[in-house]
Amino acid sequence: MDIKTAKETLLKMQDKASAYEHALGLLSFDGQTTAPSKTASNRAHAIEILSEEIYKLTTGEETVQVIEFLNEHREELSENELRMVDILRKSLKYMQSIPMEEYLAYERLTVEAGEAWREAKANNDFNHFAPFLEKIYETVKKFAAYVSPEMDPYDFWLNEFEEGLTQEFCEEFFGQVKSRIVPLVKSVTEKKQVDDSCLKGTFDEIKQEKFARYLMDVIGLDPEHVGLATTEHPFTTSLGSHLDERITTHYYPENVSYSMYSVVHEGGHALYDTGSDDSLAYSVLDGGVSMSIHESQSRFYENIIGRSKPFIELIFPKMKEIFPEELKDVTADEIYKAVNKVEPSFIRTEADEVTYSLHVLVRYELEKKLFRNEIEVRDLPEEWRKLYKEYLGVDVPDDTRGVLQDVHWSDGLIGYFPSYAIGSAYGAQFLKKMKEDIDVDACVAKGDFALINKWNREHIWKYGSSKTPKEILNIALGGEPFSLDYYVEYLQKKIESVYE
């Protein structure tokens, strides 16, 4: 085998794998958006067959030979080719360590678990979902032992979503969250509370969709490459490559801000993915590198931009145009304060910026306890209620608005949640660096997102997965080390602005 042939073979393998992933992505997207309620079994059958093809393709003899050959000739590879080989070797180790029948069974399990979760959430019935979640935890623990028996299984899964992330880092990070952000929450609860009734009422869903598409346009999403649909729990997915991105939302007639911010949040994910350099398409380097970097972008657009005063003043005329009666006597300042109201609550996706990381902390603590066998799945509802009372001081009314509120565990995304809080903190430090180059507030006030998006593209998006999360941080922060200080300072300023 010569080096040229090996490189061509590797690219063809990735090209074919991306086509399978496109098909799998469409099946998953359909299952969470428009598929009839009793079609999970049929969908799981198709996903299992496609997953078998991916397993065979990525662990086949030719693939293994090519990857190992290129690894032995690293000095003849470009930087991107080296990164490609390293990612594929890691993936190959994962796939080779897990028996195919167990891998396929798990793919089927997560599809059926998703259907069970939707039914359980709708009926406030955790017991219906619990057996599926027990199997998911049993499987992910087993897979971690197969692949990296030397690692703590929870560290293994944290690392899968954020390369290099460990419980040690999380303990330090969330320790600071508790010591520095909990006092901020307490300081706000002692102030006169903000009136957010202007966001409540009856907001027509068709009008909300019109407003959602306006917001997509404002932040710079390309409608020829980014679609919008509705689902129970909003998410973003890439279909085959960064050239086909889908975001979702959920419209609540009684709360216009939910869809408004889920669209901007998911739009941040889509901006990141579609910002990958076109040369990375149909390869393992296409799309975002990790979930903390990904969430830094979604949370940046949702909160740092989307809840800023210039942004609210920018979109307020369109809000009044679309909802003239609902917002008849409302001012832009009232909207600004309402969307930034700090109030401990029990729904993560509706949480304010200040209390948000405490919601993530609850999930991190529970995942950690499950991996350490300190609790069992059946204990989750009660443990959830205890931690929400301890960290946020709220009484969770039911499991639908408690342990069943998130889709992630049904999808097998164990170890994902810390990325939300870490990404939020990354975003605040990115803002500080961005402001050294451009006047962010002025750009937002004019509705000119070109410079903001260009900065993110040049420092983060264009690299896709061609660099590690650590390397992306180093580029975006100009070599400055990560610090929670910027996030805490940002939250303090926001509180001062809202609670004058």
Side-chain angles (χ1 to χ4, degrees), residues 350-407:
E350 298 176 18
D352 60 86
E353 291 181 88
V354 182
T355 63
Y356 183 84
S357 291
L358 301 181
H359 291 260
V360 178
L361 173 59
V362 168
R363 289 148 177 82
Y364 167 69
E365 294 283 0
L366 292 175
E367 288 185 344
K368 185 174 64 175
K369 288 181 178 182
L370 283 166
F371 271 98
R372 294 179 179 179
N373 298 316
E374 295 174 2
I375 61 171
E376 297 181 11
V377 166
R378 67 170 178 265
D379 302 321
L380 280 172
E382 182 60 29
E383 291 294 319
W384 185 284
R385 286 190 285 272
K386 285 180 181 177
L387 290 179
Y388 261 80
K389 188 68 174 178
E390 178 181 350
Y391 293 145
L392 289 133
V394 298
D395 295 306
V396 176
D398 51 51
D399 290 340
T400 292
R401 287 172 287 184
V403 70
L404 289 170
Q405 67 182 263
D406 297 306
V407 69

Side-chain angles (χ1 to χ4, degrees), residues 192-207:
K192 182 180 179 180
Q193 195 48 273
V194 166
D195 179 8
D196 63 349
S197 59
C198 58
L199 301 174
K200 308 298 194 301
T202 304
F203 293 85
D204 181 76
E205 292 186 28
I206 295 176
K207 290 182 178 180

Side-chain angles (χ1 to χ4, degrees), residues 308-357:
S308 68
K309 185 168 285 188
F311 186 80
I312 296 301
E313 291 173 347
L314 169 70
I315 67 172
F316 184 67
K318 178 60 73 170
M319 289 186 77
K320 294 277 281 188
E321 176 188 320
I322 295 176
F323 306 106
E325 291 302 314
E326 296 87 342
L327 302 176
K328 182 171 55 177
D329 299 318
V330 177
T331 66
D333 189 61
E334 288 173 322
I335 294 290
Y336 169 69
K337 290 181 177 179
V339 299
N340 286 291
K341 179 180 181 179
V342 178
E343 182 179 40
S345 62
F346 39 80
I347 302 295
R348 176 185 62 84
T349 54
E350 298 176 18
D352 60 86
E353 291 181 88
V354 182
T355 63
Y356 183 84
S357 291

Side-chain angles (χ1 to χ4, degrees), residues 87-102:
I87 291 174
L88 288 168
R89 289 187 77 218
K90 179 184 176 184
S91 177
L92 180 62
K93 179 187 176 185
Y94 179 88
M95 298 293 273
Q96 286 181 321
S97 301
I98 299 169
M100 184 172 71
E101 62 274 13
E102 293 187 35

Side-chain angles (χ1 to χ4, degrees), residues 117-131:
W117 168 76
R118 281 183 282 276
E119 293 174 357
K121 183 179 180 183
N123 298 313
N124 187 32
D125 184 7
F126 179 76
N127 289 333
H128 177 65
F129 176 56

Side-chain angles (χ1 to χ4, degrees), residues 47 114 143 170 192 207 266 430 467 483:
I47 287 174
F143 283 5
C170 288
K192 182 180 179 180
K207 290 182 178 180
E266 303 304 336
F430 290 158
K467 298 188 181 299
S483 171

